[in-house]
Amino acid sequence: MTRPSIDLFSGGGDTGRLMAGLDWARTPLGPVDGWPESLRVAVRLVLSSRYPMLLLWGEGFSQLYNDAYSTLIGDKHPAALGNDVRVTLAEGWDVLAPLIQQAMTTGVASWVPALRLLLERAGYREEAYFSVSHAPARDDDGRTVGVFTVCSEVTEQVVGERRLRLLRDLSVLGDGRTVDADATGARLIDTIGGHPLDVPFAAIYLRDGASLRRVAHTGGVQGALPDTVDLADAGPIAQGWGLPDAAEGRPAQVSDVADRMTLPAGAWDDPVHTALTLPLPSGDEDQPLGVLLAGVSPSRRLDEAYRSFHQLLAQQASLALRNAQEYEEERRRIEALAELDRVKTDFFANVSHEFRTPLTLMLGPLADALTDATAPLATVQRERVETAWRNATRLLTLVNSLLTFSSLEAGRARSDARTVDLSALTAELAGVFRAAVERAGLALEVVCPPLPRPVTIDPVNWERIVTNLLSNALKYTFIGRIRVSLDGDDEEVRLTVADTGIGIAEQDLPKLFERFHRVRGARSRSHEGTGIGLALVNELARLEGGEVRVTSRVGVGSTFTVVLPWSATRRSAVADPPVERRGDAARAAVDEATGWLAEASDSATEPEHASGPTVDELAGARILVADDNTDMRAYLSRLLTAQGWRVRAVTDGRQALDEIHRQRPDLVLTDVMMPVLDGFDLLRQLRADPTTRALPVLVLSARAGGEASVEGLGLGADDYLVKPFAATELIARIRAAIRRARDRHDPAGTGTGDAPTARAGAVAAVAAEDGGTADGGTADVVATGRPDSGESARDALADRDGTDDVLDTSWAYPSAPTSAAVMRGDVRRTLCDLAVDPDVLEDLLLAASEAVNNAVEHAQRPSRPEVRVRVQVGDGLVRISVRDFGTWRDRRPAMDRGRGALLMNAYGDVRLVSTAEGTTVTIERRLDDPA
């Protein structure tokens, strides 16, 4: 073959190379050198395409195609090259012939989007679908001598859509409207019987005590299947169909269906060979609801997609049957839930009453003390009493809101409608906010002209609506204005509260009135709140016969509109005298908002000079307080300043970062829930910055529970204290944290002075909170080595060339799930000043965490309920040892501990020594090896 002949097939991939090596002289096309130019051009076009293409040329319909087409015909390739397509696709020629003949006769192209074709390309008669286009192919003289075929297989799409239709039809039957399970089974089988191409036959068996009972079938299999199956003594027929196995939750595959019955099925009426026997899931995994027996089409391969379809079929059938069986149970559950809701409402009412009584006894004496002219309070005492009074008032407001919302949910709330001047009432309520709005640097516009007629509405509910909308606007608006307007037309009254605040993203608008929903990451003046304000507005508006609408654009502002139809405002007013509660909710909201607007002082709070000879070594320590609650900032500032410390208070994590970079404090005391940047994000940024990695951070939060404290300690917090707290405990923890930090960074210091000692209290706190050890979960922390006096840890490591350890430190933790998180913080602090590659450090922490978790989980009957961790650094190596004091559940093979062992081996060189006294896992890694 000459070079031009070979070049014709170059660039054609594997098929092109096969075509170049084919003896074309033995085909009807003859030698390549004799091919006309039109055929050469057509071949180049086919081989250069990535789309499946087939060229049929000449009276013998000789086939020339590309790589993409070769995958469509399966094992017919490469024998099809140069051969007659009528032979290659003989089984499907009756379908293809008219299309090819039409293209050659008329010279007009055709296209069929989903042509069903019989193919024998994988050892069986397959049902396949193709999107096919046939176009005429012309020779050098313009005569039609062949056909261009461009095709793509759409079998998966066609079959998938067909199966989805069946599943969708079955899902309609799962609505529970049919109470009788037998009738539901019959409806399911009727639906399945309408899709014989995917399910040639099917039968449903339901469990009836210790037996199975067939309730319905389709596909003409009645004589081949048993009517009932005794699960205690199943016969050979039932065993052959796999019914007892499926009844115990084990799916079975029946591969000899053709020997049990003759059933032509599929696209080409071939005999069915395979069936699947599947359990129908129930609430009890060990006892399925019943069994679904479903045939497999002989025209489709039983692949994972087909198996998944049968699983979904069983799940849909189970759902419908369970709904039918549980209909009465569901009704009883609804009745029980209604009773529970009534009890819950009563509980809220009782709890509210119990809260209100002590709150009244708190607020009364506090107000008396503040207004007592005969025995006025000193300035310091007045500040303390005012703080208590403000927060007791806030607590009363929260109690009232929760009670109102509970009543609305239970449908027990009522509207004490009064005929009011709605314009005057709205303007009065908005005016209560004027001082707070102007203090925030905003403009308040109130446009409430008189309405054409009186309005009958509950003034207390209206106050809550206006108050919540204005409070929300003030909370999220930082520049511009807030506009309150009231107008009406012939159909409705409209209250509009518009602001120029941060706006609300479109995806958050549908959830805006859901209870407890809060937009994540939104900038606000405070992170405090219950998350029920807008939900309460929505429910109260509905109670008054109206609705709430909202429009918003991010960065532009939001507009809330409360619409009341006139028909809803023409109710009969109640005759009872009104309760004098007007203005209480508005004043409480303004008091709370005033707290948001109180900015932190620009200067640090200086301690008063202490008298006496005693000198505190921590005197003058700088403490940075980050909390968005004004009263909490003031309280902490007074408390810490009294200790002789200099206190700086900020309102969020971003301000805290700026202040730390401006003047580094000795300790950061931060809340968790804050706007802009919360406490945990602040902690993450501090630990990620090498200059602040060792800065002591004490987290102070209302988030109680082991998960919250473990999260804080796991991020690198030195301590975690839950509100409410004792002032003496807070002072003690701050003192301990500052002392540990100074010992850790004092190269001339004596004693251990290492970070591990600093964690004993935190370990004990977490262990006690999560169940800890029997002795209270205290941690025995021992530091057994440190760099020589006068050297930093980094210098000591860099200068030593001997074999002794530069660092040798150990800890003891309670055998509890929280210990791994505390251990990570200890090891991170111990190694942060050494020349350890950051990637190596993270790998070691992950491997050590898995080792500790394994020790806690797998150590059986430990002689000591603790896990010991030892860190050694020297000779360019870091070695971490984790030891438990129990026996392991499985010792064969030694390192086969599942995912944990794989992770440990992936991140370090791991050795394991197991004795009768316990198991020790040692993880080693070179300091300069991040790989």
Side-chain angles (χ1 to χ4, degrees), residues 5-64:
S5 299
I6 298 175
D7 291 345
L8 174 62
F9 305 108
S10 63
D14 293 339
T15 304
R17 285 189 287 274
L18 289 172
M19 294 170 71
L22 186 65
D23 185 2
W24 291 99
R26 301 179 63 181
T27 71
L29 296 179
V32 177
D33 294 341
W35 289 5
E37 184 61 26
S38 55
L39 176 57
R40 292 173 175 270
V41 172
V43 170
R44 291 191 184 96
L45 175 64
V46 169
L47 291 178
S48 63
S49 175
R50 295 181 180 271
Y51 208 76
M53 292 187 66
L54 166 68
L55 173 64
L56 304 178
W57 194 272
E59 296 180 356
F61 291 125
S62 298
Q63 302 170 88
L64 301 100

Side-chain angles (χ1 to χ4, degrees), residues 673-684:
M673 307 291 285
M674 295 185 295
V676 185
L677 188 73
D678 66 28
F680 284 163
D681 286 336
L682 168 63
L683 186 56
R684 289 188 184 94

Side-chain angles (χ1 to χ4, degrees), residues 630-679:
T630 303
D631 284 335
M632 183 58 69
R633 289 197 306 271
Y635 171 68
L636 291 174
S637 296
R638 289 196 303 270
L639 182 65
L640 302 182
T641 303
Q643 300 298 313
W645 300 331
R646 303 177 62 192
V647 180
R648 180 82 172 188
V650 295
T651 60
D652 58 62
R654 176 60 56 194
Q655 293 182 18
L657 278 178
D658 294 341
E659 182 62 26
I660 291 169
H661 293 146
R662 189 182 71 83
Q663 185 178 31
R664 182 188 177 98
D666 292 294
L667 179 138
V668 176
L669 180 62
T670 178
D671 188 21
V672 173
M673 307 291 285
M674 295 185 295
V676 185
L677 188 73
D678 66 28

Side-chain angles (χ1 to χ4, degrees), residues 794 797 831 833-841 844 873 878 927:
R794 184 186 300 275
L797 179 62
L831 299 179
D833 288 335
L834 302 182
V836 180
D837 184 277
D839 292 335
V840 172
L841 178 59
L844 286 170
V873 181
V878 179
L927 289 168

Side-chain angles (χ1 to χ4, degrees), residues 734-747:
I734 291 176
R735 287 183 176 277
I738 296 176
R739 288 192 179 106
R740 290 193 301 262
R742 291 184 177 181
D743 289 343
R744 199 160 58 225
H745 294 91
D746 181 8

Side-chain angles (χ1 to χ4, degrees), residues 205-256:
Y205 287 81
L206 290 181
R207 181 181 291 275
D208 189 0
S211 64
L212 290 177
R213 177 174 54 87
R214 192 181 71 205
V215 298
H217 68 275
T218 185
V221 296
Q222 182 174 3
L225 300 178
D227 293 331
T228 60
V229 178
D230 184 356
L231 296 177
D233 185 20
I237 296 178
Q239 293 282 1
W241 286 106
L243 294 172
D245 289 339
E248 295 180 1
R250 299 187 299 273
Q253 179 173 327
V254 183
S255 302
D256 58 351

